Amino acid sequence: MPAFHRHVLITGASSGIGKALALAYAEPGRRLSLGGRDEARLAEVVAACRTRGAQVHAARVDVRDDTAMRDWVLARDDDTPLDLVVAGAGITTANDRIIYTEAFGSLRPVAREGNPAPGLLPDQIFASIGLDISPLGGQGQVAFLAALAGPTITTADNDSVWYASAAGAQLLAREQSQAPGLQAGVNFTTFGSPGMSPSGIAAITANFTGPLITPNSDRGIFVGTPGNLALVVRESDPAPGFATGTRFAALTFDAKSINSAGRIAFAATLSGSDVSTANDSTLWANPEGQLRLIAREGTSAPELPPGIIFLDSFSIPLINESGQVAFTATISGPGVTSGNNETLWATDSLGNLVLIAREGTTQIDINPDPATTTLRTIASFEFNTIQGQSGFNNRGELALDVRFTDASDAVVIAALPVITQCPTCPADFDQDGGVTGADIEAFFTAFQAGTACGDTDQDGGITGADIEAFFVAFEAGGC
């Protein structure tokens, strides 16, 4: 055995391979830290190792107890730095998956297959933990799916969603539990992949069943934290801004993102008398709290020639901390070919759609010298729409992997304007036709960014007088 392994820690040392390794490593000058569940058999191994000249520390520790195992290993390392750890005793396919989260600089296990599920009966365990894990929150929060098992658990109530943080794992939602915001007796059945905001607010799409629930009204999107989950939108809800009878027919199971204010962006299919398969795909968000249409299949694509429309190939929409939304879309119409039909869009601070990039058309100056222009045309681009890993930040900047028509490549950052047009009436700052609290939020976004639209008194400067001028118009209810 290597002589430099002066301190060796072995789990499962009371029998089997662990015992054999302990005896093999036992020799003068070596310190052994041995762990096992059977104290009597472990004591026999300890005595045999000491007979061979090793210094031995022993502890009754169960590898299934993640916290106890972690504390023991760290304590032994603090006592004398470990040179080698031999672990694995007791690991099977029934307990080999663990979720760790790093909060406040410390990596901690929060859930493990085979372990008791926190807050449930002692004999109710995590039978399996899903691979569909949410992005991390700002303090290490994570949401995950798990199947439960136990004497009183059946396939009718074993699916669950969990919320884990530095405090441990808590149940967020469970199959056959009451779905918040719906009438009594409407219970969850299945769950889609969870989302997580930087502030630690979870988002889940879920199916449910119960009184008056039909296949056309059995899915919704919920946001919140354990004990504080709220329904945002459900299938069969009226689609805001559309004719009476137009409703959300289908919510995409996993296509949603969420920001720190709990605002979401998602994809939905509509139904109604004026809806067809040519215009039923849509993207939505609620950056100010109320649902707003972001894009719709069959409608004109802004900034492009007449007749060019969105098809139904929208990506998952992303929402940033400023409430701006980004997505990719396929377009169709006059002059559109397979070489220029892929586009990238984002909303500015007023919710207006801005074209960021179009294959085969958008040109980029790649010359760092501002006095010299070297234009190259985008042949194709890649934009990551996975929340937590996306190329869309909170300043409205979008990062793209670009291939130009000359076969060269680049990473490009495109910056959205904070606002693209100033309102003619400051009171209706978001230009939605009404004077509401959303106008205050839109004004302060522009004011804090120092844009020209924040100069409501039109004196050429952004000062406190502009705030006063805005509220004079706002309190008057118009202009």
Side-chain angles (χ1 to χ4, degrees):
M1 298 295 171
F4 58 86
H5 289 154
R6 296 187 180 279
H7 187 186
V8 178
L9 181 145
I10 301 172
T11 66
S14 57
S15 63
I17 295 176
K19 174 181 177 179
L21 286 171
L23 295 173
Y25 273 106
E27 62 180 67
R30 176 165 287 144
R31 180 185 297 269
L32 296 178
S33 291
L34 306 180
R37 287 185 293 167
D38 189 319
E39 287 184 295
R41 289 195 295 178
L42 184 61
E44 294 175 1
V45 177
V46 168
C49 290
R50 286 175 175 161
T51 299
R52 299 186 182 200
Q55 300 179 47
V56 184
H57 165 88
R60 185 183 184 281
V61 60
D62 189 340
V63 293
R64 296 173 297 180
D65 187 336
D66 306 314
T67 300
M69 180 62 65
R70 171 182 173 272
D71 291 345
W72 177 58
V73 173
L74 292 176
R76 298 311 303 147
D77 186 60
D78 286 342
D79 179 71
T80 304
L82 289 166
D83 297 306
L84 178 66
V85 174
V86 182
I91 305 300
T92 70
T93 56
N95 63 11
D96 61 352
R97 183 170 295 168
I98 304 176
I99 292 180
Y100 288 86
T101 183
E102 185 174 11
F104 309 107
S106 175
L107 190 65
R108 303 181 184 182
V110 294
R112 179 179 179 181
E113 291 177 346
N115 278 10
L120 304 184
L121 297 177
D123 57 2
Q124 295 178 338
I125 64 170
F126 291 120
S128 64
I129 293 174
L131 295 176
D132 293 329
I133 299 172
S134 76
L136 284 176
Q139 295 184 343
Q141 304 96 328
V142 65
F144 61 94
L145 305 180
L148 304 173
T152 60
I153 293 176
T154 70
T155 54
D157 64 356
N158 65 334
D159 287 339
S160 58
V161 187
W162 293 78
Y163 180 99
S165 65
Q170 296 174 273
L171 184 65
L172 185 64
R174 180 180 173 184
E175 186 179 9
Q176 292 305 313
S177 66
Q178 174 69 40
L182 300 174
Q183 70 182 83
V186 176
N187 299 328
F188 288 124
T189 56
T190 55
F191 305 99
S193 300
M196 181 69 69
S197 77
S199 63
I201 301 175
I204 56 171
T205 305
N207 288 344
F208 36 78
T209 187
L212 304 180
I213 301 300
T214 71
N216 298 320
S217 63
D218 64 349
R219 180 175 294 174
I221 299 176
F222 300 80
V223 303
T225 53
N228 191 32
L229 204 59
L231 176 66
V232 176
V233 60
R234 65 175 286 194
E235 291 175 351
S236 80
D237 279 350
F242 283 79
T244 301
T246 302
R247 300 181 179 277
F248 293 113
L251 301 174
T252 306
F253 209 38
D254 295 319
K256 61 189 173 297
S257 66
I258 182 170
N259 69 11
S260 288
R263 309 309 189 195
I264 61 172
F266 62 95
T269 301
L270 303 181
S271 65
S273 58
D274 60 347
V275 177
S276 69
T277 55
N279 62 11
D280 61 348
S281 293
T282 55
L283 300 180
W284 296 80
N286 62 345
E288 294 90 25
Q290 302 299 317
L291 289 179
R292 173 195 295 177
L293 179 68
I294 301 300
R296 182 184 182 187
E297 175 192 9
T299 60
S300 298
E303 303 183 32
L304 297 180
I308 296 182
I309 62 173
F310 290 119
L311 295 183
D312 64 350
S313 300
F314 295 119
S315 70
I316 296 173
L318 299 170
I319 188 167
N320 69 6
E321 296 296 271
S322 300
Q324 296 170 304
V325 178
F327 62 94
T328 62
T330 303
I331 57 174
S332 178
V336 178
T337 69
S338 59
N340 62 14
N341 65 341
E342 298 300 326
T343 55
L344 174 63
W345 302 82
T347 58
D348 64 17
S349 58
L350 288 183
N352 302 308
L353 271 183
V354 177
L355 178 63
I356 304 300
R358 178 183 176 187
E359 294 180 352
T361 302
T362 302
Q363 292 186 314
I364 296 176
D365 181 8
I366 65 165
N367 199 313
D369 183 356
T372 305
T373 300
T374 304
L375 295 177
R376 291 185 183 173
T377 302
I378 294 178
S380 62
F381 66 83
E382 292 185 5
F383 176 68
N384 194 337
T385 57
I386 299 176
Q387 189 190 17
Q389 305 172 26
S390 78
F392 187 39
N393 69 17
N394 299 327
R395 296 188 297 272
E397 296 171 332
L398 302 98
L400 317 175
D401 288 325
V402 171
R403 168 64 61 90
F404 295 109
T405 53
D406 65 355
S408 61
D409 300 285
V411 175
V412 174
I413 295 183
L416 267 169
V418 175
I419 198 166
T420 58
Q421 56 185 23
C422 297
T424 56
C425 175
D428 182 19
F429 207 89
D430 63 4
Q431 304 180 56
D432 67 350
V435 178
T436 67
D439 297 301
I440 298 176
E441 183 175 349
F443 165 71
F444 276 105
T445 297
F447 179 85
Q448 291 169 355
T451 66
C453 295
D455 182 19
T456 49
D457 65 2
Q458 300 181 26
D459 67 350
I462 308 296
T463 67
D466 296 301
I467 299 176
E468 183 177 354
F470 167 75
F471 276 106
V472 168
F474 182 86
E475 290 171 359
C479 299

